[in-house]
Amino acid sequence: MSGDQNKAIVRRFIEELWNQRNLDLAGELFAAGCVTHQLRSGMELVPAPRGPDAMKEHVAEWLAGFPDLRFTIEQMVAEGDQVVTRTVMQGTHRGVWLGIPPTKKQVSLRMITIHRIAGGKIVEDWVLLESLGFFQQLGLLPATKEIVARAAT
C-alpha cells in the first residue's frame, strides 16, 4: 500500500473511531493479532495484544473517563508500512478512569504514535504519551517547577 493509503487508515482510526465514536470500525481497521507498545519512561517495553475487541474496550474506557475526548492531528508522516502521527488529545475528566475518580479537570496533551500497516489493517503500534504532564493536569502530581524545586533542596 502507498504511504497515502496507510495515512488514510490511521486518519480513519483517529477521526472516525475516536472522534466520531464509531467503535465498530475497529474490526475494519485493526488486525486480530495487533499488538501495542506503550512507551513509558523507566518501564520495560512489553507488547500487549490489541485486536479489534481490545481496541473497542480501550476506547470505551477512555470515553467513560473523558466523555468529550477529542484528538487533533498536527502532523502525519508515512514511510514504507509505518505512519507516524503527532496529535493533541483534549478532554475533561468527568468519569472514573483507571480507578481515579473524576477531577473535572480539562487536559490537553501531545502524543506521538507509530502505526504499522499490513494488508490494509493496523497490525502494530507504538504510543508515546506525555504522561507526566497528563497527571499534573489532573492534579495528581505537582507542577514540574515544584518537582525541580524540591529536588534542588
Side-chain angles (χ1 to χ4, degrees):
M1 296 183 71
S2 74
D4 285 341
Q5 290 171 315
N6 289 340
K7 286 180 3 181
I9 291 167
V10 175
R11 189 175 310 280
R12 289 188 72 203
F13 166 57
I14 295 167
E15 295 295 344
E16 296 178 38
L17 193 141
W18 277 104
N19 289 344
Q20 296 175 22
R21 308 330 192 213
N22 184 359
L23 303 189
D24 290 333
L25 193 58
E28 187 178 327
L29 298 177
F30 284 83
C34 182
V35 295
T36 193
H37 309 271
Q38 293 289 332
L39 305 173
R40 297 180 180 133
S41 296
M43 297 186 72
E44 186 176 335
L45 184 62
V46 179
R50 187 157 302 158
D53 290 337
M55 180 52 69
K56 286 181 194 179
E57 289 175 23
H58 175 72
V59 172
E61 286 173 4
W62 273 95
L63 294 177
F66 300 83
D68 62 344
L69 192 68
R70 179 149 183 84
F71 290 83
T72 301
I73 298 170
E74 293 187 325
Q75 182 180 19
M76 283 186 133
V77 178
E79 184 174 325
D81 62 354
Q82 296 186 0
V83 177
V84 179
T85 309
R86 182 169 42 93
T87 58
V88 175
M89 180 178 85
Q90 296 176 299
T92 309
H93 186 208
R94 293 190 178 130
V96 175
W97 176 76
L98 294 181
I100 302 167
T103 63
K104 308 284 192 275
K105 305 243 182 187
Q106 291 185 342
V107 297
S108 178
L109 60 138
R110 288 192 155 64
M111 297 176 59
I112 295 179
T113 56
I114 303 169
H115 290 93
R116 188 169 67 82
I117 313 295
K121 294 191 177 198
I122 298 169
V123 296
E124 192 170 19
D125 65 13
W126 294 262
V127 181
L128 179 59
L129 176 70
E130 182 189 0
S131 299
L132 175 63
F134 180 44
F135 291 121
Q136 288 171 327
Q137 289 176 54
L138 289 175
L140 303 173
L141 294 174
T144 301
K145 284 184 196 179
E146 188 179 329
I147 293 170
V148 172
R150 286 183 191 174
T153 60

